[in-house]
Amino acid sequence: MSPAEYKVRRAVVDDLPQLIVLWRAERLPWEELERQLTDFQVVTDSTGKVHGTLAIRITANQGLIHSEAFLDSAEADVLRDLLWKRVQTLATNHALYRLWTCITAPFWTHSGFRKPNAELAAKIPTSFGHGNQMDLLVLELRPEPEIKPVDLEREFELFREAEKERTEAALRQARTLRTVALIIAAAVFIVVFAGGLWMVGKSLFSGTR
């Protein structure tokens, strides 16, 4: 079959019987992989027959390609190429920094995977099950943002300045409110006082008549 006749998609429950056959043929831990079904991608023909599969486990912006299996080893590299394109799309969609694989087939080294240096090996997620061992191949996809160390003293100083500014703003607001209250109180006093004088004056004027 030509590559155009195949379809690559995520595995579904209906694929399990065929996948188990492939996993067992490759002596993979099929019972464990069955629980990871949603990690698997499959290559099928127009009838839905699964010709190849592999999994990509994604953890913390990194991906692990593992557990590949093919119905016919003669078409393995053709199917790997189709699956690799699918993995690249997933890696882009999930903004992965790098991909790892424990698969030793030459296809993966030809695709750019290489042995990691000690610095990269230290970044292997523990969920990949390999710790810091340098037995995986890695492909860096994009630069990982540099995490700058936090200057606690500087952060505390900025926090203190911000708190000081908030306190001063609160005091200014309180002084403004007090001034407004005094003005209102004075205005009320003047109105009441003026009203009182007017009433007294009116009474005196009425008494003289």
Side-chain angles (χ1 to χ4, degrees), residues 151-176:
D151 186 339
L152 294 178
E153 185 175 343
R154 176 59 179 163
E155 290 296 319
F156 178 74
E157 182 64 26
L158 291 174
F159 173 77
R160 189 171 63 178
E161 290 177 1
E163 285 298 308
K164 181 180 178 181
E165 178 60 30
R166 279 195 289 268
T167 300
E168 291 178 352
L171 290 174
R172 286 195 298 270
Q173 185 179 24
R175 285 195 293 268
T176 300

Side-chain angles (χ1 to χ4, degrees), residues 11 15-24 37 40 42 50 53:
D15 298 321
L16 265 178
Q18 296 184 75
L19 289 174
I20 290 173
V21 171
L22 293 178
W23 293 335
R24 296 183 72 167
L37 178 65
F40 278 85
V42 295
V50 176
T53 184

Side-chain angles (χ1 to χ4, degrees), residues 96-116:
L96 301 187
Y97 300 136
R98 62 187 65 87
L99 288 169
W100 300 86
T101 187
C102 51
I103 304 171
T104 57
F107 174 89
W108 299 105
T109 53
H110 294 161
S111 297
F113 284 80
R114 59 180 176 79
K115 283 285 187 180

Side-chain angles (χ1 to χ4, degrees), residues 85-96:
K85 289 182 173 65
R86 171 77 171 180
V87 167
Q88 288 175 299
T89 299
L90 292 173
T92 299
N93 292 343
H94 287 83
L96 301 187

Side-chain angles (χ1 to χ4, degrees), residues 185-195:
V188 170
F189 174 78
I190 291 171
V191 170
V192 171
F193 183 74

Side-chain angles (χ1 to χ4, degrees), residues 15-113:
D15 298 321
L16 265 178
Q18 296 184 75
L19 289 174
I20 290 173
V21 171
L22 293 178
W23 293 335
R24 296 183 72 167
E26 294 292 335
R27 298 183 179 180
L28 295 171
W30 64 271
E31 292 176 321
E32 178 183 342
L33 297 179
E34 185 177 2
R35 295 192 293 271
Q36 302 171 28
L37 178 65
T38 55
D39 288 346
F40 278 85
Q41 308 297 317
V42 295
V43 183
T44 65
D45 60 23
S46 59
T47 67
K49 185 177 182 179
V50 176
H51 287 255
T53 184
L54 59 69
I56 174 170
R57 182 185 308 163
I58 295 175
T59 301
N61 293 99
Q62 300 190 70
L64 174 67
I65 301 169
H66 66 96
S67 304
E68 66 173 19
F70 302 101
L71 189 63
D72 182 357
S73 59
E75 59 179 5
D77 275 351
V78 172
L79 301 181
R80 282 190 183 103
D81 188 57
L82 295 173
L83 289 164
W84 174 226
K85 289 182 173 65
R86 171 77 171 180
V87 167
Q88 288 175 299
T89 299
L90 292 173
T92 299
N93 292 343
H94 287 83
L96 301 187
Y97 300 136
R98 62 187 65 87
L99 288 169
W100 300 86
T101 187
C102 51
I103 304 171
T104 57
F107 174 89
W108 299 105
T109 53
H110 294 161
S111 297
F113 284 80

